[in-house]
Amino acid sequence: MNRTALKTLPALLLAIASASALADPMYPGDAEGFHGYLRAGAGSNTSGGGGSQGCFGLGGNTMKYRLGNECDAYTEFGYTKSVAKSGGVNYLATIWVNAYAPNSDFGDNKLGIVKAYVEAQGLDFLNGGTAWIGKRFYYRPDIHMLDLQYINMNGTGAGLDRIPAGPGKFSYAFFKDNDVKTVLPTGGVNTKSAVRQNFIFGEIPVNENGTLDLAATYIIGEGKDDLATGKRNNGWQLSAFHRQGKVFGGGNTFGVQYGVGPGVGGAGNGQFGASGDTNFGSDVKRTRIFNDMAIQPMANFGMEFVALWQKDESNAKGSSTWTSVGVRPVYAFTDNFKLVGELGTDRVTQAGGLPAKRLTKLTIAPTISAGPGLWSRPELRAFVTYGKWNDAATASVNASNNGGPIYNNNTSGTSYGFQVETWF
């Protein structure tokens, strides 16, 4: 894709906004039973010396196209149990653990607890809404191709969910983030914790098969300003998502987001809705516009398409814009065999007049699958992935590769391997 097309992407995004939801729910609930997710695999590269599978990404404020391009392993799983029922209210307890490895082998990596909470569903005084307390996944839809949770309110806290209010439903959640203390060189104690409040007014019908979600976050930085841990700042973010259903057998999500200070969600490509570093001042800003379409027009053909524009600004680093376009077509030859492809291109501008970084990645993956659909899982994949980038992107590609700088000063590379992905 040429530079002119990439620079005009914001206008293109607005033009396709009415086109239109990803399979991932906006409100992740935990149904009773054992559920989870797994991705794992093994691969290598053709750089000459072989070794670790090579992955292609620009790092920093970007995410990479993931098919045949994940050099890590990850799993999360757990159990949800109805522990009591009273007057029509169902009390559910959920505990999940996870494990991550930056390479192909989980090895002796430890399990961590990612969910541990109890919710009360169907409360009459909330007009059928839900109350919960604990640690949980919360309001975290994603662009699957990029593995980008464009908003993520996970954390430990308490909330009231999906209370009918006018044309939509209202949710409120309170979280405590980074709840640790730092011992200062002087012997004193300080903290960089944050109190985060999330507000959602969603599921608002705005057109036939279309709904609108409005999400806001306000973050209060705790602790005291000092030389060791820096100045504390508050932050916020606002997001709006239009979700259109029944689009060629699938749906579309169009989003506009803006965050300030800790509201940008993190130093790299942090997730809106979470607490970023409370050292971030009001000069740190992020704006994002995206469109993500997942369709299944025929039983044996599906496709995901994403277009994204994101601008990051700060006094320390200047301004940088990430533009990305990608497509993943899936064609099934039988109920259990399909061919999956993925093509994605990224462009990142640099401050100071430096040349823009550019990267294009292509993957072909013959796949054994439990069904012909775009979202049918498990998928057992063989893949070949080719990446091509410019000189300006070489250092970033090497730095963001889990296998290290295996491509040296080259501006292209190929990796291959096998991967399984499933959710259950």
Side-chain angles (χ1 to χ4, degrees), residues 138-149:
Y138 192 73
Y139 198 71
R140 57 193 293 267
D142 75 341
I143 298 173
H144 181 77
M145 258 197 308
L146 288 169
D147 201 18
L148 171 61
Q149 292 171 350

Side-chain angles (χ1 to χ4, degrees), residues 156-231:
T156 301
L160 303 175
D161 280 1
R162 306 179 82 175
I163 303 169
K169 294 182 179 179
F170 175 76
S171 299
Y172 168 79
F174 172 98
F175 293 94
K176 185 66 176 290
D177 295 329
N178 309 317
D179 194 14
V180 295
K181 292 187 180 295
T182 300
V183 179
L184 304 177
T186 59
V189 176
N190 206 347
T191 181
K192 292 183 67 176
S193 63
V195 169
R196 169 167 54 98
Q197 299 183 77
N198 294 111
F199 307 85
I200 306 167
F201 186 47
E203 302 173 80
I204 307 165
V206 292
N207 62 291
E208 186 175 358
N209 301 315
T211 60
L212 177 68
D213 274 19
L214 304 174
T217 304
Y218 184 64
I219 298 161
I220 300 173
E222 298 188 317
K224 300 177 182 179
D225 297 348
D226 60 53
L227 293 176
T229 58
K231 177 179 172 58

Side-chain angles (χ1 to χ4, degrees), residues 269-281:
N269 203 320
Q271 299 152 327
F272 283 103
S275 293
D277 193 327
T278 54
N279 289 148
F280 290 168

Side-chain angles (χ1 to χ4, degrees), residues 231-246:
K231 177 179 172 58
R232 300 296 180 272
N233 295 283
N234 301 335
W236 56 272
Q237 72 83 26
L238 291 173
S239 297
F241 309 113
H242 178 264
R243 292 166 58 79
Q244 185 67 44
K246 297 185 178 181

Side-chain angles (χ1 to χ4, degrees), residues 271-295:
Q271 299 152 327
F272 283 103
S275 293
D277 193 327
T278 54
N279 289 148
F280 290 168
S282 59
D283 62 299
V284 179
K285 303 171 184 176
R286 172 170 292 162
T287 307
R288 180 188 294 151
I289 305 171
F290 70 89
N291 197 87
D292 187 25
M293 179 185 295
I295 60 174

Side-chain angles (χ1 to χ4, degrees), residues 315-382:
N315 291 342
K317 297 184 178 180
S319 174
S320 175
T321 300
W322 170 39
T323 311
S324 187
V325 178
V327 62
R328 181 189 290 191
V330 177
Y331 184 83
F333 293 91
T334 72
D335 284 345
N336 293 284
F337 179 75
K338 58 192 182 187
L339 186 64
V340 184
E342 187 176 86
L343 175 64
T345 184
D346 297 289
R347 180 178 185 269
V348 177
T349 64
Q350 301 188 79
L354 296 174
K357 305 174 187 179
R358 298 192 304 275
L359 167 67
T360 298
K361 167 261 182 193
L362 172 66
T363 297
I364 302 297
T367 300
I368 298 170
S369 174
L374 176 66
W375 303 120
S376 297
R377 298 295 188 278
E379 285 190 347
L380 285 74
R381 309 160 177 156

Side-chain angles (χ1 to χ4, degrees), residues 63-223:
M63 298 291 285
K64 65 180 186 291
Y65 286 91
R66 64 191 295 194
L67 182 67
N69 200 33
E70 293 177 300
C71 294
D72 55 7
Y74 178 76
T75 186
E76 59 189 31
F77 54 89
Y79 196 82
T80 296
K81 172 69 175 176
S82 176
V83 294
K85 292 183 179 180
S86 173
V89 177
N90 190 16
Y91 292 82
L92 292 167
T94 297
I95 296 180
W96 275 40
V97 297
N98 73 341
Y100 172 79
N103 48 39
S104 60
D105 187 3
F106 281 108
D108 59 357
N109 286 278
K110 296 180 180 180
L111 293 175
I113 296 177
V114 290
K115 298 183 188 181
Y117 73 101
V118 173
E119 59 184 327
Q121 298 179 340
L123 293 165
D124 53 359
F125 61 88
L126 294 180
N127 199 16
T130 297
W132 61 271
I133 296 177
K135 182 176 184 178
R136 65 171 299 178
F137 294 165
Y138 192 73
Y139 198 71
R140 57 193 293 267
D142 75 341
I143 298 173
H144 181 77
M145 258 197 308
L146 288 169
D147 201 18
L148 171 61
Q149 292 171 350
Y150 47 85
I151 192 165
N152 182 324
M153 297 179 176
N154 295 357
T156 301
L160 303 175
D161 280 1
R162 306 179 82 175
I163 303 169
K169 294 182 179 179
F170 175 76
S171 299
Y172 168 79
F174 172 98
F175 293 94
K176 185 66 176 290
D177 295 329
N178 309 317
D179 194 14
V180 295
K181 292 187 180 295
T182 300
V183 179
L184 304 177
T186 59
V189 176
N190 206 347
T191 181
K192 292 183 67 176
S193 63
V195 169
R196 169 167 54 98
Q197 299 183 77
N198 294 111
F199 307 85
I200 306 167
F201 186 47
E203 302 173 80
I204 307 165
V206 292
N207 62 291
E208 186 175 358
N209 301 315
T211 60
L212 177 68
D213 274 19
L214 304 174
T217 304
Y218 184 64
I219 298 161
I220 300 173
E222 298 188 317

